Amino acid sequence: MEIENINVSSYPNSTKTYVKGKIHPIQVAMRTIHQYPTVKIIDGVRIETPNEDVTVYDTSGPYTDPNIEIDINKGLPRIRQKWVEQRDDTVTLEDITSEYGRLRRSMPELDAIRFPVEHKPRRAKEGLRVTQMHYARKGIITPEMEYVAIRENLDNERRGIKTHITPEFVRDEIASGRAIIAANINHPEAEPMIIGSAFSVKLNTNIGNSALSSGIEEEVAKAVWSCYWGGDTLMDLSTGDNIHETREWIIRNCPVPVGTVPIYQALEKVNGDVGKLTWEIYRDTLIEQCEQGVDYFTIHAGVLREHADLIEQRLTGCVSRGGSIMTQWCVLHNQESFLYMHFDEICEILNKYDVAVSLGDGMRPGSIHDANDRAQFLELEVLGKLTEKAWAHDVQVLIEGPGHVPMNKIKANMDKQVKACHSAPFYTLGPLTTDIAPGYDHITSAIGAAIISNLGTAMICYVTPKEHLSLPDLNDVRDGVIAYKIAAHAADLAKGFPGAEIRDDALSKARYEFRWKDQFNLSLDPAKAKQYYLDARRNAPDADDRFCTMCGPNFCAMRISQSITEKCKE
Amino acid sequence: MEIENINVSSYPNSTKTYVKGKIHPIQVAMRTIHQYPTVKIIDGVRIETPNEDVTVYDTSGPYTDPNIEIDINKGLPRIRQKWVEQRDDTVTLEDITSEYGRLRRSMPELDAIRFPVEHKPRRAKEGLRVTQMHYARKGIITPEMEYVAIRENLDNERRGIKTHITPEFVRDEIASGRAIIAANINHPEAEPMIIGSAFSVKLNTNIGNSALSSGIEEEVAKAVWSCYWGGDTLMDLSTGDNIHETREWIIRNCPVPVGTVPIYQALEKVNGDVGKLTWEIYRDTLIEQCEQGVDYFTIHAGVLREHADLIEQRLTGCVSRGGSIMTQWCVLHNQESFLYMHFDEICEILNKYDVAVSLGDGMRPGSIHDANDRAQFLELEVLGKLTEKAWAHDVQVLIEGPGHVPMNKIKANMDKQVKACHSAPFYTLGPLTTDIAPGYDHITSAIGAAIISNLGTAMICYVTPKEHLSLPDLNDVRDGVIAYKIAAHAADLAKGFPGAEIRDDALSKARYEFRWKDQFNLSLDPAKAKQYYLDARRNAPDADDRFCTMCGPNFCAMRISQSITEKCKE
């Protein structure tokens, strides 16, 4: 397969750097941005003062390392494979367990779209649990834990910046459930990352086809693209054709943890007929995906039969796909949800592969009107109980949150989540702070996402400009990711996350000194910043560089400001 | 002159409506959005339930009224002219007062770009003050005050929504200085609007040419365009050629208050040589602009000589154009700023035309690093003293605020402003909550703008995607305005502004009922929402309308949710 749209390469004036572990023989990938020197002409003499490199968090994986050859048909290097093997608590299965998976594999008509390399799945040895939480509770610092500790700190050590993040701290946060490392043993291609309120705020991107659009190539391209721009995790929400094969391609080529909502595929297996969904079909789907390497599952186990009555009182009912499916199932069968009833069994599957559970908010409000209502908060209480259950099985937990919430109701969401769910990491969709801007919901929601992250939300799920209207294309993915990088970073700054301000300060210094290239290279989207600048300069080709393209030379405050400082020093 | 880019027309499925005053014979313009009925098929019978009209705040003036003929060469109807005349406290001047204005008028080479209609300026009768604050303090409810009271309430009265906003309340807020109506007697084309923390949050847009770009036609087109999308006020920040003539075209065609920074033009008059600026040149510029009809002036009178030393300690010095000019002037002359020294005289000019003063924050931080530093807060204290002075002259006051501020330092800005400046309305640029996203600063700043508006900021100054890089084009203006409409409206919702949620609820109801056209028409940017939707539907022409284009029919949560509700009712 050739993916035409994958045209990512290394970032401008940056080097992929690897920091070695001290406990484990690991190499933690980062990006180092180089800067040009500051140049001053003093008494006719040109004096150059170097500007320090800036190291930034890098989610792009091998795609931006010119020393690694990328072949979509082979998949990424399996960096965690050795770590998993060396723990000696898993076995390689002779065959995949899922009946559906075997069925798909047996269909010759799928050969053309099947990922070319087959990896045999691994599973915990009989009776063992292989989750990061399990290890943490035993006091073990895994390579994954050391990896994220180093990754979060970037070059804080070299700069002498005080940090609370050590491998021991990571271990303790995971043991307590306050943070997770979503790292399925069958997705060894992913670089470990941590989600928790004590760490830098993460962002999730959603991709996936629907009945209306999009093929495998397009989805893989979107996945790589979203990692390039800064997506920390990736949810494949496909509901269209060939979900199984599409996912395989994505996982094998994805350097970040991959999440799914297994009920979507289960529903496809019964041709969209909710009434025909069964626990057995769902269970087989979980195992199928566990063995492919999905790192976390959204499971709407907090949706109960009684929610059907509560959503009638809403303006916009239930706007969660998974939530509406499960509510409908409960009503059709007049039974409690099979996800809720079989939750312990689910956990016993997940802890054999180390798949985290992201407890879905099936009752998230779909409008300002419905925010913080009883349907929503009742579910949150249920999620708290399920969190306790999952933790009893050493399964790592995320809690999903809203949705549409006006700014004055955001804090209550965070406070209730922390209390009900015992400080399990909160993972919110926005929230959108108004309903009136379809076409711009990356902005309505970036506002809410920044606010709730500052209050302690660990991961924010991006919203693209196409939300409510269409599936995102590559441009929308880029816009959505950057909007959420902004929200996440604004929260890191506000929380005083160690070293967070280094990049801001470096960029602002470059801006003030008219080092335009450094300003672009240090920015979240160097290509766009540079393009805007060049478009403006096209109209003024003779102008020198020492003023801002907004105001022209006479009105450049920074230019005047510098001359004042020079004057004062005379 | 023909303005090719002015292609605004009435909004989709909307009517320009006028609400009559009860005290004065005024007609308050609003926009009424009509909706389609909700259609249900019950037992084969089609049942239509009508959906109520939604009335929204409309800043577009006559441009969206099909009954008013627009001719850019004649200017807009002068709706306030009678109100001003009937107060009988002003006189029509035989000639313009400004020397520079007379000089420009005498230059035949400017005939080609001069606005074709000449209006003689008005000024207060000798010894009188003609400001809205003056009237309010005398207990008078002017037509302008009644206008804004009606305008803020939209159709709250008809809907029975409780409101605190009455003409008397407006008067009291203006008398106290907590709100302003910027309404120069020489800009009778503008529809009155109010800026104050007890009212809906307003947004300002900036346009204006620079030495690098843009002619008169383009600036007028931008002005109309920004009003169409929702700009409440408009600053003309031109620093290029023909500032005087450009401004005349803008004011005569602008339905919202126009602001300027007079020091820019004063500096152009001395060819950009800061050392040659004098109080006399500045004074003549003020009068020139007062008589053209500028509604508010940004005056950086809080920048003092001692600021020159303080900005040396900053990462990004002084990033305010006016602030840097005045600091440089102080340093060059080793004197206190002439704006500060002549502030009483300035106020005595302004109160003869009712021009409000927007006390500029010349020391606003230009980077996260410099936020809330001594240079910034020292100036804020000075602005507080100047506020008292202005109020003593019955001059209405706005206080300008930052800038670049991380989220955790925003509240301190608001609190200090309220205290230092005695609750005069705060008018902030963003603030930008991180420095690292040039190309996306409409988003970095919409986050800060939403937060600070929720805390009480009365008006937010938009930032476009081109901030730091270039002057905005029409698309950037649209993007900037919509981002700020979102921030402003999110704050109105969070503050519980009377009736604010009506539009959200109507749009969400339309969305839930798959009334796509209503969803678009109720949105901030109907054209964009519709386009995104149609692009997606192009791939699925046979699909019916009753599902969302994101998820396809089987996975449409809203469709499932509705069927649950129907099932439950059975």
Side-chain angles (χ1 to χ4, degrees):
Chain A
M1 191 170 291
E2 282 192 43
I3 314 280
E4 280 183 26
N5 284 317
I6 294 187
N7 55 1
V8 306
S9 61
S10 53
Y11 299 99
N13 213 27
S14 300
T15 309
K16 193 91 175 183
T17 45
Y18 293 91
V19 178
K20 285 187 182 167
K22 292 175 183 170
I23 306 172
H24 296 284
I26 57 175
Q27 305 263 356
V28 182
M30 298 175 185
R31 173 181 160 211
T32 299
I33 306 172
H34 312 294
Q35 297 194 75
Y36 295 91
T38 299
V39 177
K40 282 191 181 164
I41 313 289
I42 298 179
D43 298 332
V45 181
R46 180 187 167 91
I47 299 177
E48 291 196 358
T49 315
N51 287 293
E52 214 172 353
D53 288 345
V54 175
T55 304
V56 299
Y57 198 100
D58 186 359
T59 56
S60 63
Y63 293 97
T64 53
D65 185 340
N67 299 318
I68 299 178
E69 198 191 337
I70 298 293
D71 183 345
I72 299 292
N73 295 288
K74 291 182 181 160
L76 297 178
R78 295 165 71 85
I79 59 165
R80 284 179 54 240
Q81 183 145 357
K82 262 195 197 163
W83 312 352
V84 172
E85 286 169 3
Q86 283 169 354
R87 284 196 276 264
D88 197 27
D89 53 2
T90 56
V91 290
T92 304
L93 301 178
E94 277 314 297
D95 196 4
I96 54 180
T97 311
S98 153
E99 278 177 39
Y100 181 82
R102 288 200 295 262
L103 174 70
R104 294 296 289 191
R105 198 188 45 198
S106 72
M107 294 162 78
E109 65 269 34
L110 296 178
D111 286 351
I113 61 163
R114 194 172 282 129
F115 185 72
V117 185
E118 197 182 341
H119 295 287
K120 288 201 186 301
R122 300 185 79 86
R123 190 174 61 199
K125 287 181 179 171
E126 192 60 37
L128 296 186
R129 295 171 176 180
V130 296
T131 70
Q132 295 290 323
M133 186 177 223
H134 172 74
Y135 304 133
R137 284 172 164 181
K138 289 198 148 184
I140 297 167
I141 293 172
T142 62
E144 288 86 348
M145 294 174 202
E146 190 189 14
Y147 192 105
V148 302
I150 294 170
R151 193 174 192 186
E152 292 285 312
N153 277 311
L154 302 170
D155 59 357
N156 283 341
E157 189 178 323
R158 187 175 60 79
R159 288 177 182 265
I161 292 172
K162 233 183 126 172
T163 177
H164 59 278
I165 301 172
T166 61
E168 291 75 17
F169 178 80
V170 168
R171 179 195 58 199
D172 295 348
E173 288 293 292
I174 291 173
S176 74
R178 284 191 298 270
I180 75 164
I181 295 177
N184 186 328
I185 56 173
N186 290 309
H187 186 200
E189 298 89 349
E191 296 171 351
M193 51 78 69
I194 191 161
I195 305 166
S197 61
F199 303 93
S200 63
V201 175
K202 303 303 187 297
L203 74 95
N204 175 72
T205 65
N206 293 330
I207 61 159
N209 64 5
S210 79
L212 298 189
S213 76
S214 202
I216 289 178
E217 293 168 56
E218 195 180 327
E219 295 309 316
V220 175
K222 273 188 208 167
V224 176
W225 185 246
S226 82
C227 295
Y228 178 80
W229 289 108
D232 291 289
T233 63
L234 176 84
M235 290 198 80
D236 172 15
L237 303 185
S238 291
T239 57
D241 292 333
N242 306 315
I243 295 181
H244 180 87
E245 290 70 27
T246 304
R247 187 168 48 237
E248 187 73 23
W249 280 94
I250 290 173
I251 292 173
R252 299 285 76 84
N253 287 293
C254 190
V256 305
V258 173
T260 64
V261 189
I263 198 80
Y264 295 174
Q265 193 188 1
L267 187 62
E268 290 286 1
K269 291 176 182 177
V270 294
N271 297 314
D273 186 342
V274 173
K276 292 197 176 138
L277 277 172
T278 64
W279 160 241
E280 287 68 30
I281 289 168
Y282 186 82
R283 184 178 177 283
D284 190 74
T285 307
L286 286 185
I287 294 171
E288 171 196 348
Q289 299 195 14
C290 284
E291 295 188 358
Q292 280 189 298
V294 174
D295 300 283
Y296 59 104
F297 290 144
T298 293
I299 300 183
H300 298 88
V303 174
L304 302 181
R305 170 70 188 83
E306 66 183 289
H307 276 115
D309 297 322
L310 293 172
I311 64 175
E312 275 185 68
Q313 298 158 28
R314 289 183 145 186
L315 182 64
T316 49
C318 170
V319 298
S320 151
R321 290 193 258 176
S324 65
I325 292 164
M326 288 317 299
T327 313
Q328 189 174 37
W329 190 92
C330 292
V331 170
L332 290 174
H333 292 268
N334 199 20
Q335 283 179 21
E336 204 49 277
S337 148
F338 60 79
L339 299 177
Y340 181 78
M341 299 305 286
H342 290 274
F343 193 70
D344 284 302
E345 205 173 336
I346 290 172
C347 292
E348 279 304 307
I349 296 169
L350 270 48
N351 68 18
K352 291 189 168 49
Y353 304 92
D354 200 6
V355 177
V357 62
S358 186
L359 289 168
D361 57 333
M363 293 298 138
R364 68 168 173 269
S367 56
I368 292 294
H369 180 275
D370 293 343
N372 295 18
D373 72 351
R374 181 161 152 71
Q376 184 193 340
F377 285 148
L378 168 67
E379 184 187 31
L380 191 58
E381 295 291 335
V382 180
L383 300 188
K385 305 277 179 230
L386 295 171
T387 299
E388 292 170 39
K389 280 198 181 200
W391 286 350
H393 295 277
D394 288 343
V395 170
Q396 303 184 94
V397 176
L398 288 175
I399 306 292
E400 296 188 11
H404 292 238
V405 183
M407 285 193 288
N408 57 317
K409 293 187 177 174
I410 288 177
K411 189 166 184 301
N413 275 275
M414 190 73 228
D415 292 346
K416 277 185 191 284
Q417 189 272 343
V418 169
K419 191 161 173 241
C421 301
H422 321 291
S423 300
F426 204 22
Y427 163 35
T428 62
L429 181 72
L432 287 70
T433 53
T434 164
D435 303 344
I436 67 171
Y440 298 84
D441 279 324
H442 60 313
I443 300 177
T444 66
S445 66
I447 293 168
I451 294 171
I452 205 163
S453 301
N454 187 22
L455 295 170
T457 286
M459 184 156 79
I460 46 183
C461 180
Y462 91 161
V463 171
T464 80
K466 296 274 170 71
E467 182 74 17
H468 298 115
L469 299 169
S470 164
L471 284 179
D473 62 20
L474 286 177
N475 271 332
D476 302 317
V477 169
R478 178 175 175 178
D479 282 344
V481 172
I482 301 290
Y484 272 67
K485 284 293 282 185
I486 289 168
H489 185 70
D492 286 340
L493 283 176
K495 289 165 71 178
F497 188 75
E501 203 182 308
I502 292 169
R503 189 174 187 175
D504 294 78
D505 290 353
L507 188 144
S508 288
K509 183 166 185 283
R511 179 177 280 156
Y512 191 64
E513 293 175 354
F514 303 107
R515 284 183 283 115
W516 289 97
K517 288 178 193 163
D518 289 335
Q519 185 187 157
F520 306 147
N521 295 341
L522 288 161
S523 73
L524 289 180
D525 188 342
K528 183 161 280 183
K530 186 175 173 185
Q531 193 55 52
Y532 284 170
Y533 173 80
L534 290 179
D535 289 348
R537 290 305 295 267
R538 202 162 295 146
N539 302 324
D542 297 332
D544 75 22
D545 271 321
R546 295 187 60 76
F547 59 84
C548 161
T549 27
M550 280 188 86
C551 311
N554 283 346
F555 284 88
C556 181
M558 299 196 299
R559 176 150 144 162
I560 296 171
S561 184
Q562 286 173 30
S563 74
I564 297 167
T565 302
E566 281 156 26
K567 174 86 184 165
C568 289
K569 283 184 180 154
E570 279 169 14
Chain B
M1 191 170 288
E2 284 193 42
I3 313 280
E4 281 184 24
N5 283 317
I6 294 186
N7 55 1
V8 306
S9 61
S10 52
Y11 300 99
N13 213 29
S14 299
T15 308
K16 193 91 176 184
T17 46
Y18 293 91
V19 177
K20 285 187 182 167
K22 292 174 180 168
I23 306 172
H24 296 285
I26 57 175
Q27 304 262 357
V28 181
M30 297 175 186
R31 172 181 158 208
T32 299
I33 306 171
H34 312 295
Q35 297 195 76
Y36 294 91
T38 300
V39 177
K40 281 193 180 163
I41 312 289
I42 297 179
D43 298 332
V45 181
R46 180 187 167 91
I47 299 177
E48 291 195 1
T49 316
N51 287 294
E52 213 172 354
D53 287 345
V54 174
T55 304
V56 298
Y57 198 100
D58 186 359
T59 57
S60 63
Y63 293 96
T64 52
D65 185 341
N67 298 316
I68 299 179
E69 198 191 333
I70 298 292
D71 183 346
I72 299 293
N73 294 286
K74 290 181 181 159
L76 297 178
R78 296 166 69 85
I79 60 164
R80 285 178 54 241
Q81 182 146 354
K82 262 195 197 163
W83 312 351
V84 172
E85 286 169 3
Q86 284 168 355
R87 284 197 275 262
D88 198 25
D89 52 3
T90 56
V91 289
T92 304
L93 301 178
E94 277 315 296
D95 196 3
I96 54 179
T97 311
S98 153
E99 278 176 40
Y100 181 83
R102 287 200 296 262
L103 174 70
R104 296 295 289 190
R105 199 188 47 199
S106 72
M107 294 164 77
E109 65 269 34
L110 296 177
D111 286 353
I113 60 162
R114 193 172 281 128
F115 186 73
V117 185
E118 197 183 341
H119 295 288
K120 289 200 185 301
R122 301 186 78 87
R123 190 174 62 200
K125 287 181 179 171
E126 191 60 34
L128 295 186
R129 296 170 175 181
V130 296
T131 71
Q132 295 290 323
M133 183 178 227
H134 172 73
Y135 304 133
R137 285 173 164 179
K138 289 197 147 184
I140 298 168
I141 294 172
T142 61
E144 287 87 347
M145 295 173 202
E146 190 189 14
Y147 193 104
V148 301
I150 294 170
R151 193 174 192 185
E152 292 286 311
N153 277 311
L154 302 171
D155 60 355
N156 283 341
E157 189 179 324
R158 187 176 60 78
R159 288 177 183 263
I161 291 172
K162 231 182 129 172
T163 177
H164 59 279
I165 301 172
T166 60
E168 291 74 18
F169 178 79
V170 167
R171 180 195 58 201
D172 295 347
E173 288 291 293
I174 290 173
S176 74
R178 284 191 297 270
I180 75 163
I181 295 177
N184 185 330
I185 57 173
N186 290 309
H187 187 201
E189 297 90 348
E191 296 172 350
M193 51 78 69
I194 190 160
I195 304 165
S197 61
F199 304 93
S200 63
V201 176
K202 303 303 187 297
L203 75 96
N204 175 73
T205 66
N206 293 329
I207 61 158
N209 64 5
S210 79
L212 298 188
S213 75
S214 201
I216 290 177
E217 293 168 55
E218 196 181 326
E219 294 310 316
V220 175
K222 271 188 209 167
V224 176
W225 185 246
S226 82
C227 295
Y228 177 81
W229 289 109
D232 291 288
T233 63
L234 176 84
M235 291 198 80
D236 172 15
L237 303 185
S238 291
T239 57
D241 293 332
N242 306 315
I243 295 181
H244 180 88
E245 290 70 27
T246 304
R247 187 166 51 235
E248 187 73 23
W249 280 94
I250 291 172
I251 293 173
R252 298 287 75 82
N253 286 294
C254 190
V256 305
V258 173
T260 64
V261 189
I263 199 80
Y264 295 174
Q265 193 188 1
L267 187 63
E268 290 288 359
K269 290 176 182 177
V270 294
N271 298 313
D273 185 343
V274 172
K276 291 196 177 141
L277 277 173
T278 64
W279 159 242
E280 287 70 30
I281 290 169
Y282 186 80
R283 184 179 180 280
D284 190 73
T285 307
L286 287 186
I287 294 171
E288 171 197 348
Q289 299 196 14
C290 283
E291 295 188 358
Q292 280 190 300
V294 173
D295 299 284
Y296 59 105
F297 291 145
T298 292
I299 300 182
H300 299 89
V303 174
L304 302 181
R305 169 69 187 84
E306 65 182 290
H307 276 115
D309 297 322
L310 292 173
I311 63 175
E312 276 185 66
Q313 298 159 27
R314 289 183 144 185
L315 182 64
T316 50
C318 170
V319 297
S320 152
R321 290 193 259 177
S324 65
I325 292 165
M326 288 316 299
T327 313
Q328 189 174 36
W329 189 92
C330 292
V331 170
L332 290 173
H333 293 269
N334 199 20
Q335 283 179 21
E336 204 50 278
S337 147
F338 61 81
L339 299 177
Y340 181 78
M341 300 305 286
H342 290 273
F343 193 70
D344 284 303
E345 206 173 334
I346 290 171
C347 292
E348 278 304 306
I349 296 169
L350 269 50
N351 69 18
K352 290 190 167 48
Y353 304 91
D354 200 5
V355 177
V357 61
S358 186
L359 289 168
D361 56 333
M363 293 299 138
R364 69 169 173 267
S367 56
I368 292 295
H369 180 275
D370 293 343
N372 295 19
D373 72 352
R374 180 161 153 69
Q376 184 194 340
F377 285 150
L378 169 67
E379 183 187 31
L380 192 58
E381 295 292 333
V382 180
L383 300 188
K385 305 281 179 226
L386 295 171
T387 299
E388 291 169 38
K389 278 200 183 200
W391 286 350
H393 295 277
D394 287 344
V395 170
Q396 302 184 95
V397 175
L398 288 175
I399 306 293
E400 297 188 11
H404 293 237
V405 184
M407 285 193 288
N408 58 317
K409 293 188 177 174
I410 289 177
K411 188 166 185 300
N413 275 274
M414 191 71 228
D415 292 346
K416 278 185 191 283
Q417 188 273 342
V418 169
K419 191 160 173 243
C421 301
H422 321 292
S423 299
F426 204 22
Y427 162 33
T428 62
L429 181 73
L432 287 71
T433 53
T434 163
D435 303 343
I436 67 172
Y440 298 84
D441 279 324
H442 60 312
I443 301 177
T444 65
S445 66
I447 293 168
I451 294 171
I452 205 163
S453 302
N454 187 22
L455 295 171
T457 286
M459 184 154 80
I460 46 183
C461 181
Y462 90 161
V463 171
T464 80
K466 295 274 171 73
E467 182 75 15
H468 298 116
L469 300 168
S470 163
L471 285 179
D473 62 20
L474 286 176
N475 270 333
D476 302 316
V477 169
R478 179 176 174 176
D479 282 343
V481 172
I482 300 290
Y484 273 66
K485 284 294 283 183
I486 289 168
H489 185 70
D492 286 341
L493 283 176
K495 289 165 71 179
F497 188 74
E501 202 183 306
I502 292 169
R503 190 175 186 174
D504 293 78
D505 290 353
L507 187 144
S508 288
K509 183 168 186 283
R511 178 177 281 157
Y512 191 64
E513 294 174 354
F514 303 107
R515 284 183 284 116
W516 289 98
K517 288 179 192 164
D518 289 335
Q519 184 187 158
F520 306 148
N521 296 340
L522 287 160
S523 74
L524 290 179
D525 188 342
K528 182 161 281 185
K530 186 175 173 185
Q531 192 55 50
Y532 284 171
Y533 174 79
L534 291 179
D535 289 348
R537 290 306 295 268
R538 201 162 297 148
N539 302 326
D542 297 332
D544 76 21
D545 272 322
R546 296 188 59 76
F547 59 84
C548 162
T549 28
M550 279 188 85
C551 311
N554 283 346
F555 284 88
C556 180
M558 300 197 298
R559 175 151 146 164
I560 297 171
S561 184
Q562 285 172 33
S563 75
I564 296 166
T565 303
E566 281 156 25
K567 175 85 183 169
C568 289
K569 282 182 182 154
E570 279 168 15

